[in-house]
Amino acid sequence: VQILLKLWRNGFSLDDGELRSYSDPTNAQFLESVKRGEIPLELQRLVRGGQVNLDMEDHQEQEYVKPRLRFKAFSGEGQKLGSLTPEIVSTPSSPEEEEKSILNAPVLVDDSMPATKIQIRLADGSRLIQRFNQTHRIKHIRDFIIQSRPAFATTDFVLVTTFPNKELTDESLTLQEADILNTVILQQLK
């Protein structure tokens, strides 16, 4: 961490922070550590064991003047509101879990025909990954969800593609016809 210590006639400041009086005991202790060539405890806590590079500027002939705030572009976080996709709260499954869900799958896959993997993100935040033939129908994805999670058997839900968001209403289409090979499908509750 790079820190600039500025010494003024009436106190000192760190980087472009507030003026700190020389007469305050905490500040005096801070300066004593610097004079001894040690990193002050306050800065050690700030960097949590990292490296500190402390530069100093002498402005003791000048009174402290509060620096003008420079424009700083937004550096916070954004939150998406009203997303069509459910928030995924589960952690990604390991390859072992993925293989287990494929092995225990109630979908019969003909290995002599072209196949695809579909990841299904469920409304409860969990996910399923299943291998299907490209000739399987969207209805087979719905059946697979209900077989894997019987709690959804009595729940009204729709299947939606991720991007662009499109509801898969015609469940008689094959996965290839619906153009959803090797994709992620979202389950949304009605």
Side-chain angles (χ1 to χ4, degrees), residues 107-164:
V107 176
L108 295 174
V109 177
D110 183 350
D111 289 326
S112 67
M113 297 179 67
T116 183
K117 270 189 191 176
I118 304 286
Q119 182 183 134
I120 305 155
R121 293 187 181 171
L122 301 175
D124 65 4
S126 63
R127 72 177 184 168
L128 299 169
I129 299 173
Q130 177 57 43
R131 200 165 156 254
F132 293 92
N133 286 117
Q134 294 179 7
T135 55
H136 274 107
R137 304 199 176 275
I138 294 172
K139 180 184 181 340
H140 293 118
I141 295 176
R142 177 179 290 278
D143 295 341
F144 169 70
I145 292 170
I146 292 170
Q147 288 175 357
S148 300
R149 300 287 198 292
F152 289 122
T154 58
T155 307
D156 196 15
F157 64 88
V158 293
L159 300 174
V160 179
T161 61
T162 52
F163 186 79

Side-chain angles (χ1 to χ4, degrees), residues 1-4 15 37-55:
V1 176
Q2 184 80 25
I3 296 177
L4 178 61
D15 293 326
E38 300 170 355
I39 300 298
L41 191 59
E42 174 185 332
L43 298 181
Q44 289 176 11
R45 285 191 205 119
L46 177 73
V47 297
R48 295 187 192 110
Q51 188 175 358
V52 177
N53 188 5
L54 185 63
D55 289 330

Side-chain angles (χ1 to χ4, degrees), residues 5-8 11-13 18-20 22 27 30-31:
L5 172 66
K6 294 181 182 179
L7 300 172
W8 304 93
F12 69 93
S13 63
E18 295 291 319
L19 179 70
R20 297 168 67 168
Y22 291 130
N27 295 338
F30 182 96
L31 289 174

Side-chain angles (χ1 to χ4, degrees), residues 58-182:
D58 185 8
H59 297 277
Q60 290 183 343
E61 289 82 39
Q62 305 168 10
E63 289 288 325
Y64 171 80
V65 177
K66 188 172 182 173
R68 293 177 116 183
L69 293 177
R70 285 183 251 145
F71 174 74
K72 185 175 183 184
F74 177 72
S75 61
E77 292 182 9
Q79 299 295 324
K80 188 185 292 186
L81 300 175
S83 172
L84 293 174
T85 59
E87 181 180 336
I88 306 305
V89 292
S90 65
T91 57
S93 65
S94 65
E96 295 82 25
E97 289 174 352
E98 185 177 318
E99 285 301 314
K100 189 172 85 176
S101 77
I102 290 171
L103 294 174
N104 296 336
V107 176
L108 295 174
V109 177
D110 183 350
D111 289 326
S112 67
M113 297 179 67
T116 183
K117 270 189 191 176
I118 304 286
Q119 182 183 134
I120 305 155
R121 293 187 181 171
L122 301 175
D124 65 4
S126 63
R127 72 177 184 168
L128 299 169
I129 299 173
Q130 177 57 43
R131 200 165 156 254
F132 293 92
N133 286 117
Q134 294 179 7
T135 55
H136 274 107
R137 304 199 176 275
I138 294 172
K139 180 184 181 340
H140 293 118
I141 295 176
R142 177 179 290 278
D143 295 341
F144 169 70
I145 292 170
I146 292 170
Q147 288 175 357
S148 300
R149 300 287 198 292
F152 289 122
T154 58
T155 307
D156 196 15
F157 64 88
V158 293
L159 300 174
V160 179
T161 61
T162 52
F163 186 79
N165 287 69
K166 181 179 82 174
E167 189 174 326
L168 300 170
T169 53
D170 186 356
E171 294 190 357
S172 65
L173 291 175
T174 66
L175 304 183
Q176 188 168 21
E177 291 168 341
D179 195 25
I180 57 169
L181 303 178
N182 296 313

